[in-house]
Amino acid sequence: MLVVLMAVSTMVFAHSDADKEVLENSFRQLTKQATTAKQAGNYGLSYTRLDSALSVAKELNNDELIAFAQTELGVIFMYQGNYSDALKLMLSAVLIQ
């Protein structure tokens, strides 16, 4: 019985690690797409990708990734002249780190 429980436990953790890797890859792809869109001046698309990346970071419960996404969202707001929201997001990111 103990061997079976250990095997099931190991399978669950391996599955969780795989899920984590998929989510981390998703975060990287979304932020790359956001950067490309930002550089092209497409702030709406960049915002959409970063907002999705922020959701992934929250699902991962990764404070570093959350702070990064919030900072980048703040940059988008700054480029759009929305300084109030930019400041809120950037301060929130600083408090996380």
Side-chain angles (χ1 to χ4, degrees):
M1 179 72 168
L2 181 60
V3 173
V4 172
L5 287 175
M6 288 175 57
V8 170
S9 173
T10 303
M11 288 174 24
V12 170
F13 287 119
H15 182 69
S16 296
D17 288 343
D19 288 346
K20 182 179 174 184
E21 187 175 336
V22 168
L23 288 170
E24 288 171 349
N25 286 336
S26 176
F27 180 87
R28 279 191 291 276
Q29 288 300 315
L30 287 164
T31 55
K32 284 180 186 179
Q33 292 169 2
T35 298
T36 301
K38 179 177 67 175
Q39 290 171 343
N42 189 344
Y43 302 130
L45 178 59
S46 184
Y47 175 87
T48 300
R49 296 296 186 261
L50 287 168
D51 192 48
S52 295
L54 179 59
S55 294
V56 171
K58 287 179 178 178
E59 187 172 342
L60 285 165
N61 197 30
N62 185 317
D63 287 343
E64 185 177 335
L65 297 182
I66 292 169
F68 177 82
Q70 287 181 327
T71 299
E72 291 299 309
L73 282 165
V75 170
I76 296 301
F77 281 136
M78 187 178 68
Y79 285 169
Q80 293 175 323
N82 186 348
Y83 302 113
S84 176
D85 286 338
L87 182 60
K88 287 176 191 174
L89 278 168
M90 290 179 179
L91 286 175
S92 178
V94 168
L95 293 174
I96 289 172
Q97 294 178 344

